Amino acid sequence: MFSGDHLIWLILIILSVNPFLEELYWRGYIFHRLANTYKQHTAIFFTASFYTLYHFLSVIPLFAWPYNVFMVVPVFVAGLIWGYMRARSDAVAGGIVSHILADGGIMAVYLLFLT
């Protein structure tokens, strides 16, 4: 659990840095690389799968089995949606904005119910 002075920094990083870095890497770089080799729907699926695995590995220590698996199901769905947005628009801007909103929702739930 995060608290005190570090909590505000965590929130600021999650809302201002994380969406940009993740979208530029996963939907920018990785999707682009996979879309050069595979069909777009396959690139979307693989990108969402790798994105989910990355998040699963980070939530393993935070949640006990089987909750850690359930926590990443929405991550996979979001990865599919953001991949679809990337494929349709050929840009990551929509994914970044959506990611900021999603992270904002997560932070709101955290602050309202878990602290």
Side-chain angles (χ1 to χ4, degrees):
M1 175 108 25
F2 296 95
S3 63
D5 296 335
H6 300 291
L7 180 60
I8 190 67
W9 288 109
L10 172 70
I11 292 169
L12 288 173
I13 288 170
I14 287 177
L15 294 178
S16 64
V17 177
N18 187 59
F20 288 93
L21 293 179
E22 286 191 352
E23 291 306 311
L24 289 173
Y25 181 72
W26 293 106
R27 261 62 68 180
Y29 178 73
I30 296 296
F31 175 83
H32 177 73
R33 298 282 300 202
L34 291 173
N36 286 335
T37 307
Y38 302 100
K39 294 180 180 179
Q40 277 194 345
H41 66 276
T42 304
I44 292 168
F45 178 79
F46 280 143
T47 303
S49 298
F50 296 144
Y51 176 71
T52 303
L53 178 61
Y54 159 76
H55 281 81
F56 178 68
L57 294 173
S58 65
V59 300
I60 286 175
L62 300 176
F63 301 99
W65 175 265
Y67 300 108
N68 50 15
V69 174
F70 294 122
M71 297 305 282
V72 295
V73 170
V75 172
F76 181 70
V77 173
L80 291 175
I81 292 168
W82 293 330
Y84 176 76
M85 291 171 64
R86 165 64 167 92
R88 289 281 297 193
S89 68
D90 199 30
V92 296
I96 291 171
V97 170
S98 178
H99 203 137
I100 290 169
L101 294 172
D103 285 351
I106 292 167
M107 289 296 95
V109 168
Y110 178 78
L111 292 171
L112 292 172
F113 300 107
L114 300 176
T115 56

